[in-house]
Amino acid sequence: GAAPLGTVRSANRAVIGRKGMISRILWVVALVTIVGGTIAWFIWSVLRPLPGLKIAIQGREHIEPGTIHEPYNSNPPPSGPHYAKWSKCGIFEEPIPIETYIHNMEHGQVIVFYKPDLAKEEVQKLKDFVTPLLDDGWILMAQNNDIASNIALASWGRYQLFDIFDKAGMQAFYKANKAKGPERIPCEVE
């Protein structure tokens, strides 16, 4: 009772054929999953809202120090008339003219503003946040008595206000907005 040789070969071909078909189906499913996931990730990354408020751009005009210009449309202003000179990256204890910082934002830097009367512990948290990022060339920190909150982060066309130090919120703003100015020029560290 052995099966004829042709019947065994046909059965083997059928088994091999089914295994090959299953293998091809698995490869197609894997490929579709990878391609679909990549497309979904790309669409999400383009369409997701960025942290902070988007503010209408007020132009990129260079002005001389002391020049009277139109009022800015927000506080802090993330665009508008500004000086031809920009600041180095660093942590500054004193205010620097906003027209200087706007040029930094045009280059893509994120500015961390804080009110002079902010609690020393909060200022230290800001310094601890900013210090390891300085070498990237996309961040600086300074006092600003005119901001509408204790802390504000600003970049070209966007800003976000914080009442207290919020590491996760500030990291999200920084990562989403650094190097996003119309001119992408990292600054030297002071």
Side-chain angles (χ1 to χ4, degrees), residues 88-172:
K88 291 183 176 186
C89 284
I91 296 173
F92 302 94
E93 302 291 333
E94 298 295 320
I96 292 178
I98 195 68
E99 293 86 356
T100 300
Y101 287 129
I102 291 174
H103 199 145
N104 283 85
M105 291 181 231
E106 182 182 38
H107 286 185
Q109 277 85 54
V110 172
I111 317 298
V112 177
F113 293 114
Y114 66 98
K115 287 201 170 185
D117 60 354
L118 185 65
K120 288 181 182 180
E121 303 81 39
E122 293 290 290
V123 173
Q124 188 58 52
K125 290 176 188 176
L126 289 173
K127 289 178 179 180
D128 292 344
F129 171 73
V130 170
T131 299
L133 301 173
L134 285 172
D135 288 335
D136 291 348
W138 300 112
I139 196 164
L140 52 148
M141 175 180 154
Q143 290 183 9
N144 182 330
N145 201 38
D146 298 327
I147 55 176
S149 188
N150 288 325
I151 302 166
L153 271 65
S155 64
W156 188 255
R158 300 190 85 76
Y159 77 86
Q160 186 168 352
L161 302 176
F162 299 89
D163 288 325
I164 59 171
F165 178 76
D166 174 359
K167 186 174 183 176
M170 293 176 184
Q171 282 178 329

Side-chain angles (χ1 to χ4, degrees), residues 165-188:
F165 178 76
D166 174 359
K167 186 174 183 176
M170 293 176 184
Q171 282 178 329
F173 185 92
Y174 177 74
K175 287 179 182 177
N177 293 292
K178 71 176 182 173
K180 296 286 170 71
E183 302 173 9
R184 289 175 182 86
I185 305 170
C187 61
E188 296 176 24

